[in-house]
Amino acid sequence: MTEATIEAYYLEDRTFPPPDDFRKQALASDDSLYKEAEADWQGFWAHQARELLTWFDDFESVLEWDLPFAKWFQDGTLNVSYNCVDRHVEAGRGDKVAYYWEGEPGDTREVTYADLLDEVSRFANVLKSLGVQRGDRVAIYMPMIPELPVAMLACARIGAPHSVVFGGFSADALRGRIIDAEAKVLITADGGWRRGAAVPLKVNADDALEGTETIEHVVVVRRTEEDVPFTEGRDRWWHELMQEADADCAPERMGAEDLLYLLYTSGTTAKPKGIMHTTGGYLTHVAFTHKYVFDLHPDTDVYWCAADIGWVTGHSYIVYGPLANGATSVIYEGSPDTPGKDRLWAIAEKYGVTILYTAPTAIRTFMKWGTEFPESHDLSKLRLLGSVGEPINPEAWVWYWQHIGGGRCPVVDTWWQTETGGIMISPLPGVTTLKPGSATFPLPAIGAEVVDDNGNKVERGGGYLTLTRPWPGMLRGIYGDPERYKETYWSRFEGRYFAGDGCKIDDDGYFWLLGRVDDVMNISGHRVSTTEVESSLVDDSRVAEAAVVGAKDETTGQAIIAYVTVRGNVEATDGLGEELRESVAKKIGKFGRPKTIIFTDDLPKTRSGKIMRRLLKDVAEGRDLGDTTTLADPAVVDEIKRRAEQSPQED
Ligand code: PRX
């Protein structure tokens, strides 16, 4: 991010203290949580773990820290599905709605905690009947339907780690993840609804399974009711298995450090990383942050995180955090513009949503669509808004605050990552004075500092964001690759976790997250690796070389721009560009498709042969690049040459 953009952030210099009536009812309205955590941060987490969760066996050990390997609450035992479901039913809250679910076509379901207990237990028995045992990995590739959290919780119930793969990923992406996790069972659906069309999940899943060897059974939920291929013996219908299954299944006593799930995320190489999250610490972290960052009053709030469960935001803040806290949530299956651009606001009105958590890219899209859509619905029940996934520009923040929140709801901008498991830097809405565009301060017990290139702490000014202490939701490693874990996160600055984000601390000590500083792009809040896109481009035999950059984009935050050189006898045509864009979409998923492909004869390189990405990014950002056009534009090529000649050789 350029200095100019950083400066632009400061143009919005209004501050927003918590409104009085919000503060009065808030769970946290002064600095006592921060003080308690500062006095004894490990004791603070132990306190939260005991207060927020139910343990089968209490723990004695709070933290074993052998940098970079952490063990939290090691000798404690618990079960995540018991904490998310059973204990609420046992406490007499079985009739409480866990999820108001709405399908894109308009069908609805209300799932109570008692319903969840019944379905989770049955499905846990189904998994057992299919041979899934404690420790076996289960892959999940599903639309946003209630069976998705049921499947995850059933895995947790029997101690089988799940690996959810977002339904927008391609068959190739799913295959790679199944192979890496050596998953035994795959749970999917015939399809899901998106913009009025059925996403062919089962067809993709079948394609993905070609070339995998570990999957013994595929369980298929009937959702779109379209005909799908079915492999006798291997494939089983969810509804048939559920009918036969027993509704009683005792939750396994899991160790706090047992693996709860894997979630694959893009890094700086072409191979996605299987991020490992475990049981007790993770659940403590997401329950704590969900409760205090969203100021959750479980008896009166209707909470809606409008992310997809396939990403970490959905794991932590649609499934595990809210259910651990006994919340009532909304889940919506489809697209925000189907049938009309007011769909989200119609849902918020219908269910009386009080807390809404979404992404800056969505907010910018709503801004583009216009205020008439939210204005046509009664959003007066909203009392708190949240943002996640990328830096939120002050303009979008203020628009969200004004037009969705009616100028009365605090906006919590929450910084975190797949790796952190839960929110790390964020306001507490009854405590923190907000600055639009700033995630404000590290949460209680979280250690976060900005350092310069040499790892020296920066008190005020810009640098790299690092985390200075272990935290309970932290990743425990990369599946099957402890070396990569050390190398990626713990080697850049000694004793510190390197987040990969730039950050600036202002004169008042506020944190301003500035985007990635590595080869990871953030497209509409989705992490995509430049290397992954490049390697799928050069897979095509007509491509000699490719360089991919994330260029600033008004709506999606960043857009993928690919510079491609073709082999000698190949002609660079618009048709070839289209084919290449499609082939990346097929290999990664539609969100990984380059917005623009620019053909050039040469890629600018330093003397040591490194591609000058910064230069390519500047060139892309300096012009209005089309959405589908592929260019062999002489002006671009000339500019690259000219700039490369002028630029210093920074080997
Ligand atoms: O660059 C940061 C950005 O998203 C990255 C993490 O992406 P992912 O693992 O996919 O998780 C997204 C949802 C937690 C971070 O390294 N990011 C996330 N939230 C923010 C953010 N950047 C600025 N402000 C945020 N609130």
Side-chain angles (χ1 to χ4, degrees):
M1 198 170 277
T2 63
E3 232 2 75
T5 343
I6 297 170
E7 292 316 319
Y9 269 31
Y10 293 98
L11 291 180
E12 174 57 61
D13 59 0
R14 267 187 294 174
T15 57
F16 297 78
D20 275 344
D21 46 349
F22 190 96
R23 187 196 286 268
K24 274 194 204 118
Q25 59 78 60
L27 299 178
S29 54
D30 58 29
D31 61 0
S32 50
L33 285 172
Y34 296 95
K35 279 200 172 132
E36 186 195 335
E38 268 337 284
D40 173 11
W41 61 275
Q42 294 189 28
F44 176 85
W45 283 120
H47 172 199
Q48 296 303 333
R50 292 194 175 103
E51 184 162 299
L52 298 171
L53 308 185
T54 305
W55 296 77
F56 293 149
D57 295 296
D58 191 19
F59 50 86
E60 269 181 32
S61 158
V62 175
L63 171 65
E64 266 182 43
W65 180 224
D66 181 10
L67 192 142
F69 297 101
K71 290 184 179 153
W72 283 90
F73 318 127
Q74 247 243 89
D75 51 346
T77 69
L78 73 166
N79 183 282
V80 166
S81 96
Y82 177 85
N83 272 277
C84 289
V85 185
D86 306 47
R87 63 177 178 147
H88 304 311
V89 178
E90 287 170 10
R93 293 190 293 272
D95 290 340
K96 185 169 184 202
V97 173
Y99 293 123
Y100 289 113
W101 173 81
E102 184 152 324
E104 192 184 80
D107 47 340
T108 60
R109 271 167 72 182
E110 257 183 46
V111 185
T112 65
Y113 278 91
D115 296 334
L116 264 188
L117 179 58
D118 180 79
E119 293 190 29
V120 168
S121 304
R122 278 178 204 276
F123 196 65
N125 283 325
V126 166
L127 289 173
K128 284 186 182 174
S129 74
L130 297 176
V132 178
Q133 294 177 357
R134 186 168 166 150
D136 288 340
R137 273 82 55 218
V138 173
I140 300 180
Y141 182 61
M142 283 170 86
M144 286 279 283
I145 54 178
E147 287 81 357
L148 171 50
V150 167
M152 294 162 75
L153 292 162
C155 288
R157 196 167 191 85
I158 64 170
H162 55 70
S163 164
V164 178
V165 179
F166 168 57
F169 272 114
S170 65
D172 288 0
L174 175 60
R175 181 185 306 119
R177 286 157 175 77
I178 288 174
I179 292 173
D180 191 77
E182 299 176 295
K184 195 168 186 179
V185 163
L186 169 65
I187 307 164
T188 185
D190 47 5
W193 293 112
R194 185 95 200 153
R195 275 208 184 93
V199 180
L201 294 171
K202 177 63 165 67
V203 170
N204 290 349
D206 281 353
D207 188 0
L209 291 184
E210 310 255 325
T212 68
E213 285 167 4
T214 54
I215 296 288
E216 295 173 8
H217 289 288
V218 179
V219 181
V220 188
V221 179
R222 189 181 268 160
R223 167 67 188 135
T224 56
E225 307 200 352
E226 307 204 305
D227 279 341
V228 288
F230 224 71
T231 305
E232 270 315 307
R234 185 194 71 182
D235 298 354
R236 309 289 298 272
W237 285 111
W238 171 291
H239 59 275
E240 289 180 5
L241 292 166
M242 287 291 266
Q243 256 170 13
E244 296 157 17
D246 193 35
D248 259 330
C249 175
E252 285 282 316
R253 288 177 106 84
M254 303 304 293
E257 279 299 335
D258 283 337
L259 188 62
L260 176 64
Y261 68 77
L262 297 177
L263 184 59
Y264 285 82
T265 188
S266 293
T268 53
T269 71
K271 188 175 186 289
K273 307 175 280 198
I275 301 300
M276 294 160 65
H277 283 295
T278 59
T279 300
Y282 172 78
L283 199 63
T284 301
H285 188 164
V286 297
F288 169 75
T289 48
H290 181 257
K291 177 172 173 176
Y292 289 103
V293 171
F294 297 111
D295 187 48
L296 182 79
H297 292 65
D299 293 333
T300 47
D301 276 321
V302 178
Y303 161 87
W304 186 12
C305 167
D308 193 290
I309 293 175
W311 305 105
V312 75
T313 305
H315 281 58
S316 298
Y317 297 109
I318 298 177
V319 182
Y320 293 118
L323 293 179
N325 290 334
T328 294
S329 300
V330 170
I331 297 182
Y332 169 55
E333 176 188 30
S335 159
D337 56 359
T338 308
K341 292 191 169 84
D342 64 339
R343 185 64 187 272
L344 296 198
W345 318 123
I347 294 173
E349 176 176 359
K350 178 170 168 188
Y351 298 101
V353 169
T354 60
I355 304 169
L356 177 68
Y357 191 30
T358 187
T361 184
I363 298 165
R364 290 192 294 265
T365 304
F366 303 142
M367 283 172 76
K368 222 167 43 184
W369 288 346
T371 53
E372 63 267 34
F373 300 103
E375 276 163 9
S376 64
H377 292 278
D378 177 6
L379 301 179
S380 60
K381 292 251 170 65
L382 279 173
R383 61 181 200 91
L384 180 65
L385 301 173
S387 169
V388 60
E390 49 176 321
I392 181 165
N393 46 313
E395 193 194 354
W397 193 106
V398 172
W399 188 92
Y400 192 33
W401 175 82
Q402 181 70 56
H403 295 287
I404 306 302
R408 66 178 184 276
C409 309
V411 176
V412 288
D413 173 11
T414 63
W415 178 89
W416 57 295
Q417 309 178 300
T418 305
E419 291 87 341
T420 69
I423 300 170
M424 303 293 282
I425 302 179
S426 162
L428 289 182
V431 182
T432 315
T433 292
L434 308 171
K435 293 190 184 187
S438 165
T440 72
F441 305 106
L443 286 176
I446 299 299
E449 286 175 0
V450 171
V451 298
D452 64 18
D453 272 315
N454 301 319
N456 299 316
K457 183 174 169 186
V458 172
E459 295 283 351
R460 296 288 182 260
Y464 305 100
L465 179 67
T466 64
L467 301 170
T468 57
R469 291 175 186 154
W471 63 100
M474 69 190 279
L475 76 164
R476 298 304 194 264
I478 295 175
Y479 193 61
D481 202 346
E483 277 313 307
R484 188 172 178 197
Y485 168 64
K486 282 191 208 164
E487 169 65 30
T488 309
Y489 305 106
W490 300 95
S491 66
R492 175 91 182 249
F493 301 111
E494 208 193 323
R496 294 169 182 270
Y497 171 91
F498 171 56
D501 279 19
C503 185
K504 184 159 176 167
I505 300 195
D506 74 11
D507 292 343
D508 303 319
Y510 280 67
F511 285 62
W512 297 76
L513 278 305
L514 304 174
R516 304 288 308 193
V517 294
D518 54 10
D519 292 333
V520 174
M521 299 174 285
N522 191 329
I523 315 299
S524 299
H526 297 162
R527 234 156 108 166
V528 183
S529 136
T530 53
T531 332
E532 212 176 335
V533 178
E534 284 166 4
S535 81
S536 41
L537 287 167
V538 298
D539 265 357
D540 190 298
S541 58
R542 293 166 293 182
V543 173
E545 229 181 352
V548 167
V549 296
K552 200 167 160 22
D553 184 275
E554 257 188 29
T555 309
T556 57
Q558 286 190 317
I560 304 177
I561 311 296
Y563 292 84
V564 170
T565 64
V566 290
R567 290 192 191 279
N569 52 353
V570 174
E571 200 187 339
T573 60
D574 283 359
L576 174 60
E578 262 325 287
E579 268 184 61
L580 291 174
R581 291 175 71 237
E582 278 320 305
S583 76
V584 179
K586 183 169 177 302
K587 284 187 192 116
I588 297 175
K590 288 206 177 99
F591 59 89
R593 177 186 5 225
K595 178 180 174 210
T596 310
I597 289 192
I598 302 175
F599 289 112
T600 74
D601 294 339
D602 239 338
L603 291 174
K605 295 200 183 116
T606 62
R607 248 180 250 132
S608 64
K610 270 205 297 194
I611 293 174
M612 299 161 106
R613 283 169 202 285
R614 180 73 241 171
L615 183 157
L616 292 174
K617 194 171 158 125
D618 288 348
V619 171
E621 286 179 351
R623 57 194 68 231
D624 194 14
L625 292 170
D627 214 55
T628 50
T629 357
T630 56
L631 311 167
D633 180 346
V636 175
V637 178
D638 284 351
E639 187 181 344
I640 293 173
K641 276 206 189 110
R642 187 171 47 74
R643 288 201 187 211
E645 278 157 16
Q646 288 165 357
S647 63
Q649 286 286 323
E650 29 31 24
D651 291 32

